[in-house]
Amino acid sequence: MKLPISFYRQENVLKLGKDLLGKFLFTKIDNKISAGMIIETESYGGIKDKACHAYNNLYTERTKVMYERGGVAYIYLCYGMHHLFNIVVNKKNIPEAILIRALKPFIGTDVMKERNPSKNFLNGPGSLCKSLQITKKLNGENLLGSKIWIEDRGVKIKDKNILKLKRIGIDYAKEDALLPWRFKIKKI
DNA sequence: GTGCGGATGAACT
DNA sequence: GTTCATCCGCACT
């Protein structure tokens, strides 16, 4: 079943980063469904997090989506070539989001490989967006809609099987770059 | 209008 | 571990 809106409105972005592990991200683009299980996330903690685009309450055309109520998609272009998909959480005007970094194939593997022939087609935030055809067109899209959504299929990840690691590619955030806000399912 | 740096990926060693 | 392709968005003038 689709995650209810109340899930996204919770106020603990770190708990949500962990809770999203084992959930399933779906897209339906051009009438083709593809999906994967979320196995790695990173939490971005609002105006006090130097790694967050909304640090210091920065409000621009790009970041405004993060100020929406939880339950919408924040998608932007990085390095001029990669789309990155984030889940906006918490209340309106609290700009917190969770970046999806990796998925495990579930549905529509052939379609995904066709869109992204690379070996790591769901490993890495830019790669998985290419495979699921997530583009800026979906920026601000409601995650309970019919184009992009997240389902709970009863998979439970125990806390002892979750690795807590520092986030990647944000060295400019100085001390915040060391925060263990990346969550990953331990390989069994 | 202009300058500059980035929440990356792929292909290397 | 390294390099580099490649261009949007932010902050300024």
Side-chain angles (χ1 to χ4, degrees), chain A residues 18-32:
Chain A
K18 284 187 277 187
D19 285 353
L20 280 165
L21 296 174
K23 302 293 187 288
F24 292 79
L25 173 64
F26 283 73
T27 59
K28 184 180 175 188
I29 313 287
D30 294 336
N31 223 28
K32 290 175 187 164

Side-chain angles (χ1 to χ4, degrees), chain A residues 20-23 37-41 102-104 183-185:
Chain A
L20 280 165
L21 296 174
K23 302 293 187 288
M37 186 176 83
I38 298 169
I39 57 174
E40 188 174 349
T41 65
L103 302 175
K104 191 172 123 184
F183 306 105
K184 188 175 182 179
I185 299 178

Side-chain angles (χ1 to χ4, degrees), chain A residues 1-3 8 22-26 149-153:
Chain A
M1 69 170 198
K2 280 185 196 182
L3 290 175
Y8 302 103
K23 302 293 187 288
F24 292 79
L25 173 64
F26 283 73
W149 68 92
I150 299 171
E151 291 191 16
D152 184 345
R153 292 191 163 238

Side-chain angles (χ1 to χ4, degrees), chain A residues 6 8 15 29 31 50 58 82 97 99 101-102 104 119 121 141-142 173 176 184-185 187:
Chain A
S6 57
Y8 302 103
K15 173 183 179 293
I29 313 287
N31 223 28
K50 288 181 184 162
L58 184 72
H82 303 293
L99 172 71
R101 293 196 63 88
K104 191 172 123 184
K119 197 168 151 223
F121 69 106
E141 191 74 23
N142 189 324
D176 287 347
K184 188 175 182 179
I185 299 178
K187 283 193 183 150

Side-chain angles (χ1 to χ4, degrees), chain A residues 162-174:
Chain A
I162 298 176
L163 293 170
K164 295 165 187 70
L165 307 161
K166 72 172 185 140
R167 294 174 291 177
I168 289 175
I170 52 157
D171 288 345
Y172 62 87
K174 297 186 181 172

Side-chain angles (χ1 to χ4, degrees), chain A residues 5 11 24 30 32 43-44 102 118 121 129 151 156 158 171 175:
Chain A
I5 194 66
E11 297 183 19
F24 292 79
D30 294 336
K32 290 175 187 164
S43 293
Y44 284 84
S118 93
F121 69 106
C129 283
E151 291 191 16
K156 298 273 190 285
K158 290 178 184 162
D171 288 345
E175 71 273 15

Side-chain angles (χ1 to χ4, degrees), chain A residues 81-107:
Chain A
M81 42 187 146
H82 303 293
H83 292 281
L84 272 65
F85 169 65
N86 298 251
I87 296 162
V88 176
V89 300
N90 211 320
K91 294 185 285 195
K92 191 171 173 62
N93 292 325
I94 309 283
E96 294 182 345
I98 296 155
L99 172 71
I100 305 302
R101 293 196 63 88
L103 302 175
K104 191 172 123 184
F106 180 53
I107 289 174

